[in-house]
């Protein structure tokens, strides 16, 4: 820890959001987190952070946190506060009872890629080493398991071979199924910086949408969803035909190429073009750029992984690297971008239903014996456990009766939400170990255990480039929250004697996370990810290190460890990498007359997963505040819809109501919904209720990216808007939390935050009948809009009722029911702290335009500086380019996450 001034200190940690794994310096006074900045010494980001990372300190308050254990003994009861000792005793007693009656496979852990490696390690050991089941799976199953399976099928091990510095050496970068400008902004910033230094570098982006990443590309292949294998096979076809395959390298270091060669000969660019919906010439161009480049690098993420053919999406992409010998050299290789911050750490400790510690194979008796010996147990079970979808299916069928969920939110993030909710309701006992008290999964929990979170935790994480970083606590966890590893160990020690294994309690007698890491490191010795040479002392003294780092490894050799397989030897029985002929021949997704639109999902730039953390930060709502489904303007017109109208979106699995928005990013026949909006901010479970739970046969990863849907206008004439600025003792996030249970009463409703210095909650409602009077009374009371000083307007004949709360000449709260024409300028007035006296006579009027000259800022593009789309567009219209805009407005000068969008706006204006 560095002491900056008498009361201000900085502690090194990492960002808890994406798998780039940026280093952060947490500013604090020992009790409260007061700021955050990028760690200039961290090799992932060298000081840079994106919008999410740079606002972490704003998410760190105790509001919305779970502060003490809670328990209910019967469904339907409210949970009541209990002590930790009692909570652990209850958990152990109820798990032991299920195990005694139904066996160890009747219980399960469902954990998270956001846990630290040490947390993951003890959960895995508790399930496989103590309970005697492999029923531990994780939300990483929804994230990276297809990449894992693809690496193992081709390279022989779950070993991403590249490093971020490869961006600086690549002549071609092919990004497929990823939008790093939004999902991995600091990595994309490094790519853009490398292109600026070497303008001859080519960027190819494969994505059905014209994302900011795609807009920045030299070649955008806007394929139809689900046709990636066709594209990659056709590219290989061109390389085979044009002699761009490195035949000597393939002969020396691989096997299975002839079978794939024969297969791709049938996949011509013309044939693939028809399936993929792109020009054959563009496929040829992409293949030639790749095949002729001295160094070619591919990046991929959920667009390939979250597919029912996710594994072979990956193997088809990896084949491009192997066929051209572009692996193990600077600027070369297949490089999976990890979605979650520590999905990799979880894979390293084997914390999934089909893995064993340190990349050992569950099906290998010798590996199981090794792990049993390391843990000091007789055996570990051979039968693979239930993977995420299988686990919830089993729970619904009554085969899993007790489930422990840690640091994840399956009631939002899993596909087929109806099934997941039935499964959680059917379980006899649900434990939720969480930092935040009101996630979508919380209502299902019988026992809630408060967990420490970012800024409070001690351990390690591994990022996309296999780099292990120390994560240090800056402040104590609030209330009674405890570190995840400690909760897991306390539970395991309490459970051991209850299941007849009292001696096994000692397996969890760790003095702290350092001891757990040492045990994990020892378990890796001799394996491909050997970190026998790493410990906390070295990581703190020398900084983050990539694996492998065996005992005796020299820090000076870090460059040699940057990438794997430089010698052309692979961890397969033959030592050769393998080509895989795809077992599936996917065409475009299954749209039909009833469901004619391809719906895909993805991330917003400024939000993370279920928004339990990022959703607390008002400024992170400015870029895309309101939930919506995006469509091509032509499809809106064909449906007779205008921007902002409400539609019912129906798939074969479910339906939800959303506003529509025209998007120039989409082709005709396609639609897009962001993944983040769930039941806490919407009157439905969000986009995941539309997706089926079908999964890839190898990775068991569900196809969360793609569904066939239809849309229909829905007439909901009764509108309402509620706005409340945060007040002393009640943050905007807490206001939203209080309003959230109301959402489900309405035919459509959404919650978001707005503003920067004056955060406010905004609730938008549309209903099929007038909002009942008693609901309005209750909502007014909830938001403090019921006092004598509140301005009021009532027109009961028209069902119109308005409330305006003014304090210190500032509008701080309002309710518009029945007529909401003034919604936007009133929201702007609240968050802009405009003087209410000047506005007073218009506040209750049905005025769509702001009454005084207050230029609308529009959507916020630069979250750091609060610069709106309207100001940037005006600057561009006046001839400004990026540097001028940065100089005049400041946009894009802080974290830089908005720079791709500003460049795109400039290019669009020029076009
Ligand atoms: S890119 Fe952004 S979200 Fe990802 S680790 Fe870095 S700061 Fe965090």
């Amino acid at each position: 820890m560095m002491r900056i001034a008498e009361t201000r200190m900085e502690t090194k940690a990492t960002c808890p959001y994406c798998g780039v794994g940026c280093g952060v310096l947490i500013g604090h006074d020992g009790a409260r987190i007061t700021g955050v900045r990028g760690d200039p010494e961290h090799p992932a980001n060298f000081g840079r952070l994106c919008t999410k990372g740079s606002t972490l300190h704003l998410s760190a308050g105790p509001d919305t946190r779970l502060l003490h254990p809670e328990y209910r003994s019967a469904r339907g009861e409210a949970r009541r506060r209990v002590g930790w000792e009692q909570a652990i005793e209850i958990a152990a007693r109820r798990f032991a009872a299920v195990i005694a009656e139904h066996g160890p496979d009747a219980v399960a852990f469902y954990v998270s890629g956001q846990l630290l490696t040490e947390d993951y390690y003890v959960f895995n050991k508790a399930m496989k080493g103590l309970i005697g089941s492999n029923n531990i799976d994780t939300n990483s199953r929804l994230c990276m398991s297809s990449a894992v399976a693809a690496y193992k099928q081709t390279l022989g091990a779950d070993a991403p071979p590249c490093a971020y510095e490869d961006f600086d050496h690549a002549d071609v970068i092919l990004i497929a199924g990823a939008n790093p400008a939004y999902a991995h902004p600091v990595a994309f910033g490094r790519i853009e910086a490398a292109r600026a230094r070497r303008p001859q570098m080519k960027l190819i982006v494969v994505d059905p949408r014209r994302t900011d990443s795609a807009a920045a590309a030299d070649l955008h292949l806007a394929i139809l969803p689900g046709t990636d294998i066709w594209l990659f096979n056709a590219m290989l076809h061109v390389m085979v035909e044009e002699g761009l395959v490195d035949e000597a390298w393939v002969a020396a270091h691989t096997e299975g190429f002839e079978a794939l060669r024969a297969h791709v000969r049938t996949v011509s660019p013309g044939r693939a073009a028809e399936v993929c919906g792109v020009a054959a010439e563009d496929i040829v161009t992409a293949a030639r750029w790749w095949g002729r480049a001295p160094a070619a690098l591919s990046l991929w993420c959920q667009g390939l992984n979250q597919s029912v053919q996710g594994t072979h999406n990956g193997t088809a992409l990896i084949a491009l690297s192997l066929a051209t010998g572009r692996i193990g050299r600077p600027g070369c290789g297949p490089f999976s971008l990890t979605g979650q911050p520590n999905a990799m750490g979880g894979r390293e400790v084997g914390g999934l239903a089909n893995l064993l510690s340190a990349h050992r194979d569950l099906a290998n008796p010798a590996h199981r014996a090794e792990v049993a010996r390391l843990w000091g147990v007789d055996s570990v079970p051979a039968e693979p456990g239930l993977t995420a979808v299988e686990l919830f299916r089993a729970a619904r069928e009554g085969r899993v009766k007790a489930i422990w969920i840690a640091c994840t939110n399956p009631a939002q993030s899993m596909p087929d939400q109806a099934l997941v909710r039935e499964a959680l309701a059917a379980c006899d006992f649900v434990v939720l170990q969480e930092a935040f008290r009101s996630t979508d999964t919380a209502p299902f929990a019988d026992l809630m255990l408060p967990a420490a979170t970012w800024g409070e935790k001690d351990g390690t994480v591994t990022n996309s480039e296999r780099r292990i970083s120390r994560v240090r606590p800056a402040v104590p966890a609030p209330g009674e929250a405890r570190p995840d590893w400690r909760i897991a160990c306390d539970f395991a020690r309490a459970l051991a004697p209850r299941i007849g294994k009292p001696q096994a309690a000692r397996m969890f007698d760790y003095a702290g996370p350092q001891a757990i890491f040492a045990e994990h490191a020892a378990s890796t010795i001799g394996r491909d990810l050997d970190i026998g040479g790493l410990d906390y002392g070295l990581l703190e003294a020398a900084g983050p290190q990539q694996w492998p780092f065996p005992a005796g490894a020299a820090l000076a050799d870090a460059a040699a460890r940057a990438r794997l397989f430089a010698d052309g030897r692979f961890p397969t029985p033959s030592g050769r990498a393998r080509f895989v002929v795809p077992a599936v021949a996917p065409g475009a997704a299954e749209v039909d007359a009833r469901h004619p639109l391809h719906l895909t999902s993805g991330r917003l730039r400024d939000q993370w997963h279920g928004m339990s953390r990022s959703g607390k930060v008002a400024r992170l709502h400015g870029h895309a505040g309101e939930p919506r489904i995006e469509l091509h303007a032509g499809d809106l017109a064909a449906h007779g819809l205008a921007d902002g109208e409400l539609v019912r979106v129906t798939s074969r699995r479910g339906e939800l109501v959303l506003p529509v928005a025209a998007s120039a990013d989409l082709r005709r026949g396609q639609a897009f919904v962001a993944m983040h909006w769930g039941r806490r901010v919407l009157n439905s479970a969000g986009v995941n209720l539309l997706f089926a739970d079908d999964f890839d046969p190898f990775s068991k990863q569900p196809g969360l990216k793609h569904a066939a849907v239809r849309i229909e206008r829905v007439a909901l004439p009764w509108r309402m808007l509620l706005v409340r600025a945060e007040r002393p003792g009640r943050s905007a996030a807490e206001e939203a939390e209080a309003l959230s249970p109301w959402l489900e009463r309405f035919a459509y409703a959404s919650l978001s935050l707005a503003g920067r210095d004056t955060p406010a909650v905004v609730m938008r409602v549309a209903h099929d009948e007038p909002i009942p009077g008693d609901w309005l009374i209750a909502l007014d009371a909830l938001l403090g809009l019921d006092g004598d000083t509140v301005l009021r307007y009532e027109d009961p004949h028209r069902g119109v009722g308005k409330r305006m709360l003014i304090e210190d000449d500032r509008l701080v709260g309002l309710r518009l029911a029945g007529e909401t024409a003034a919604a936007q300028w009133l929201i702007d007035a609240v968050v802009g702290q405009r003087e209410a006296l000047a506005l007073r006579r218009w506040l209750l009027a049905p005025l769509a335009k702001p009454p005084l000259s207050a230029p609308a800022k529009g959507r916020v593009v630069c979250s750091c500086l609060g610069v709106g789309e309207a100001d940037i567009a005006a600057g561009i219209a006046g001839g400004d380019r990026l540097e001028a805009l940065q100089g005049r407005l400041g946009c894009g000068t802080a974290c830089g996450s908005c720079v791709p969008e500003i460049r795109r706006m400039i290019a669009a204006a020029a076009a």
Side-chain angles (χ1 to χ4, degrees), residues 438-439 443 678-684 730 733-746 749 751 763 775 779 782:
S438 55
T439 68
R679 270 178 211 280
R680 290 180 314 118
V681 298
L682 205 56
N683 64 322
S684 71
R730 192 144 175 185
E734 286 173 310
E735 299 281 12
E737 194 178 42
L739 285 168
S740 185
W742 282 85
L743 292 168
E744 65 184 20
R745 297 193 188 203
F746 301 105
L751 275 172
M763 182 172 175
W775 293 10
L779 286 165
L782 194 63

Side-chain angles (χ1 to χ4, degrees), residues 262-463:
H263 172 75
V264 301
R265 279 202 196 279
T266 68
V267 188
S268 68
R271 193 164 164 228
E274 285 174 21
V275 174
C276 300
V278 295
E281 308 86 74
D282 287 346
I283 298 176
V284 173
T285 299
R288 287 176 179 161
W289 283 0
W290 180 281
R292 292 171 182 170
L297 183 73
S298 65
L299 302 173
W300 82 97
C301 197
Q302 309 311 350
L304 297 197
N305 292 338
Q306 290 180 334
S307 161
V308 293
Q309 64 250 357
T311 301
H312 285 176
N313 284 341
T315 59
L317 183 63
I318 292 169
L320 303 183
S321 297
L322 296 176
T324 50
R326 306 284 199 271
I327 190 168
R329 292 194 277 120
C332 292
F335 192 179
S336 55
L337 290 166
T338 314
Q340 300 202 76
N342 198 33
M344 188 90 98
R347 288 142 64 182
E348 289 158 15
V349 304
L352 285 99
N354 57 336
L355 303 180
L356 267 186
S357 305
H359 290 180
R360 289 181 177 83
D361 187 353
L362 193 63
N364 184 327
H367 285 184
R368 292 199 303 276
E370 277 175 28
V371 173
R373 196 163 50 247
L374 283 162
W375 286 344
V377 298
D378 294 339
S379 62
V380 292
E383 189 67 20
L386 297 165
T387 60
V389 169
E390 295 168 334
L391 195 165
F392 286 96
R393 286 178 183 171
R396 188 176 66 165
E397 292 162 11
R399 290 184 284 125
V400 166
K401 297 187 177 297
I403 184 168
W404 188 302
I405 299 164
C407 203
T408 185
N409 186 16
Q412 180 177 351
S413 56
M414 288 287 294
D416 200 345
Q417 276 294 309
L419 181 148
V420 171
R421 298 172 81 79
E422 286 169 23
L424 290 169
C427 266
D428 290 349
F429 186 49
V430 176
V431 181
L432 179 58
Q433 181 169 323
E434 245 300 345
F436 299 96
R437 65 191 173 209
S438 55
T439 68
D440 296 27
T441 306
F444 297 94
D446 301 298
L447 179 66
M448 281 194 76
L449 303 174
T453 185
W454 179 80
E456 304 151 9
K457 296 190 67 168
D458 192 1
T460 56
V461 293
T462 310
N463 71 3

Side-chain angles (χ1 to χ4, degrees), residues 50-202:
C50 73
T51 49
K52 298 180 284 285
S54 59
T55 51
L56 272 166
H57 58 299
L58 302 175
S59 73
D63 56 331
T64 74
R65 291 289 300 275
L66 178 66
L67 298 175
H68 46 72
E70 296 175 357
Y71 176 63
R72 66 179 175 204
S73 55
R75 294 278 161 86
E77 286 180 0
R79 288 187 301 264
R80 61 186 170 79
R81 180 173 179 172
V82 293
W84 265 111
E85 204 174 319
Q86 190 184 358
I88 293 294
E89 189 275 331
I90 291 166
R93 173 168 50 79
R94 296 200 59 173
F95 263 66
V98 172
I99 292 166
E101 191 173 349
H102 304 284
D105 289 333
V107 301
F109 292 161
Y110 186 63
V111 298
S112 168
Q114 289 170 303
L115 291 173
L116 304 186
T117 300
E118 293 76 1
D119 306 323
Y120 242 128
Y121 184 89
V122 290
F123 268 114
N124 190 47
K125 189 178 183 184
M127 182 53 72
K128 295 173 183 169
L130 172 64
I131 294 174
S133 168
N134 284 314
N135 278 352
I136 173 170
D137 217 50
T138 151
N139 58 13
S140 295
R141 179 73 57 189
L142 314 182
C143 176
M144 299 308 293
S145 54
S146 292
V148 173
Y151 279 136
K152 289 171 85 166
Q153 287 192 6
T154 53
L155 309 184
D158 176 17
C162 305
Y164 296 142
E165 66 183 59
D166 285 314
F167 302 158
D168 297 328
H169 303 289
D171 299 295
V172 167
I173 295 182
L174 167 64
I175 300 174
N179 179 16
Y182 275 23
H184 302 89
V186 168
F188 193 70
R190 289 183 68 162
I191 292 170
E192 288 288 77
R195 291 177 80 202
R197 283 191 298 274
R198 300 169 59 234
Q200 71 277 18
M201 180 201 289
K202 298 290 190 202

Side-chain angles (χ1 to χ4, degrees), residues 14-24 44-45 48-56 164 180 182-188 338-339 341 605 607-608 897:
T14 57
C15 172
Y17 291 123
C18 85
V20 178
C22 297
V24 298
N45 57 318
R48 285 194 62 188
L49 295 175
C50 73
T51 49
K52 298 180 284 285
S54 59
T55 51
L56 272 166
Y164 296 142
Y182 275 23
H184 302 89
V186 168
F188 193 70
T338 314
R605 190 192 70 189
Q607 292 295 344
W608 177 255
S897 300

